[in-house]
């Protein structure tokens, strides 16, 4: 998979693409990520990318031309263009699964007070990470990329996401490691039974109980 990102703040992405699982996924060529500064696509001598909004109002608005020029340069036949905005569809695990099957994603990160409405015309999908407003699309794009990249083949151990929370609209079951007794808190006995069927059953019951207690809305979708 190839991912391109349009942003006014490329340096925000440095630790994201260098560290941990995403850093390793890039080094082992499971994914290519290219971060582009929107200013580089401005024809203005001072690389201006925003201006005052028509009709008045506070704040600067991202102009369409640098974004359209960047998209012209980067879009291929099979590119999916994703615009980050609090007005978008709420991002969910199911969308991560669908997008993980794409060849090329192009993220457009808005910033400041907003972007010119005509920029929306470029997007195949507008995504929001939740009902709150951030200063820009940079963090949302990283969150979405992270959730997609970990689903790509070979990025994390095969099968380690088969019990992910939200898989089949259930939260994940609890897991434990050493020590067996920590400050009086015991690991459930069944996990030492060596009885795989019982462990499997216990885990499934835990998933149901947890989901009922914490996210009954998910159970309704099942
Ligand atoms: N930009 C600002 N807030 C956002 C949000 N909640 N989701 C996506 N993009 C955003």
């Amino acid at each position: 998979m190839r991912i391109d990102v349009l942003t006014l703040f490329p340096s925000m992405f440095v630790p994201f693409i260098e560290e941990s699982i995403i850093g390793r996924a890039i080094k082992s060529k499971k994914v290519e990520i290219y971060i582009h500064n929107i200013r580089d696509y401005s024809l203005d001598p001072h690389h201006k990318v925003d201006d005052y909004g028509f009709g008045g109002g506070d704040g600067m608005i991202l102009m369409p031309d640098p974004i359209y020029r960047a998209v012209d340069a980067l879009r291929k036949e099979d590119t999916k263009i994703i615009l980050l905005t609090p007005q978008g569809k709420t991002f969910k695990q199911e969308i991560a699964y669908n997008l993980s099957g794409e060849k090329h994603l192009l993220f457009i990160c808005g910033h400041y007070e907003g972007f010119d409405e005509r920029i929306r015309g470029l997007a195949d999908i507008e995504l929001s990470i939740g009902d709150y407003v951030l200063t820009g699309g940079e963090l949302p794009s990283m969150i979405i990329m992270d959730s997609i990249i970990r689903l790509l083949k070979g990025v994390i151990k095969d099968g380690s996401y088969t019990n992910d929370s939200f898989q089949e609209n259930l939260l994940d079951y609890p897991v434990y490691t050493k020590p067996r007794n920590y400050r009086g808190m015991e690991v459930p006995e069944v996990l030492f039974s060596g009885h795989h069927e019982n462990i499997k059953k216990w885990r499934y019951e835990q998933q149901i109980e947890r989901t009922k207690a914490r996210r009954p809305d998910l159970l309704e979708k099942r």
Side-chain angles (χ1 to χ4, degrees), residues 10 106 115 149 159 169 178 188 200 203:
L106 171 54
F115 46 80
I149 293 167
N169 286 311
K178 288 171 189 160
K200 209 169 144 190
R203 285 179 167 165

Coordinates of all heavy atoms in Angstrom, one line a residue, residues 10 106 115 149 159 169 178 188 200 203:
P10 N 4.4 19.0 8.2 CA 5.0 17.6 8.0 C 5.8 17.1 9.2 O 5.8 15.9 9.4 CB 5.9 17.9 6.8 CG 5.5 19.2 6.2 CD 4.8 20.0 7.3
L106 N -4.8 8.8 -0.2 CA -4.3 10.2 -0.1 C -5.1 10.9 1.0 O -6.3 11.1 0.8 CB -4.4 10.8 -1.5 CG -4.1 12.3 -1.6 CD1 -2.8 12.7 -1.1 CD2 -4.2 12.7 -3.1
F115 N -11.5 24.9 5.6 CA -11.0 24.9 4.3 C -12.1 25.3 3.3 O -13.3 25.1 3.6 CB -10.4 23.5 3.9 CG -11.3 22.4 4.3 CD1 -12.3 22.0 3.5 CD2 -11.0 21.7 5.5 CE1 -13.1 21.0 3.9 CE2 -11.8 20.6 5.8 CZ -12.9 20.2 5.0
I149 N -2.8 0.4 8.8 CA -1.5 -0.3 8.6 C -1.3 -1.5 9.4 O -0.8 -2.5 8.9 CB -0.3 0.7 8.8 CG1 -0.4 1.8 7.8 CG2 1.1 0.0 8.8 CD1 0.5 3.0 8.1
G159 N -3.1 -13.3 12.8 CA -4.0 -13.8 13.8 C -4.0 -12.9 15.1 O -5.0 -13.1 15.9
N169 N -18.4 -6.7 16.4 CA -19.1 -5.8 17.4 C -19.0 -6.4 18.8 O -20.0 -6.3 19.6 CB -20.6 -5.6 16.9 CG -20.7 -4.7 15.8 OD1 -20.1 -3.6 15.8 ND2 -21.4 -5.0 14.7
K178 N 2.5 -12.5 33.9 CA 3.1 -12.7 35.2 C 3.0 -11.5 36.0 O 3.1 -10.4 35.4 CB 4.5 -13.2 35.1 CG 4.6 -14.7 34.6 CD 6.0 -15.0 34.2 CE 6.0 -16.4 33.5 NZ 7.2 -16.5 32.7
P188 N -7.6 -15.4 36.7 CA -8.6 -16.4 36.7 C -8.1 -17.8 36.5 O -7.2 -18.0 35.6 CB -9.5 -16.0 35.5 CG -9.3 -14.5 35.4 CD -7.9 -14.3 35.8
K200 N -11.5 -21.0 25.7 CA -12.1 -20.3 24.6 C -13.6 -19.9 25.0 O -14.0 -18.7 24.7 CB -12.3 -21.3 23.4 CG -12.3 -20.6 22.1 CD -12.1 -21.7 21.0 CE -13.0 -21.3 19.8 NZ -13.1 -22.3 18.8
R203 N -13.4 -17.0 27.5 CA -13.1 -15.7 26.8 C -14.3 -15.1 26.1 O -14.5 -13.9 26.1 CB -11.9 -15.9 25.8 CG -10.6 -16.1 26.5 CD -9.4 -16.3 25.6 NE -8.2 -16.1 26.3 CZ -7.0 -16.5 25.9 NH1 -6.9 -17.2 24.8 NH2 -5.9 -16.3 26.6

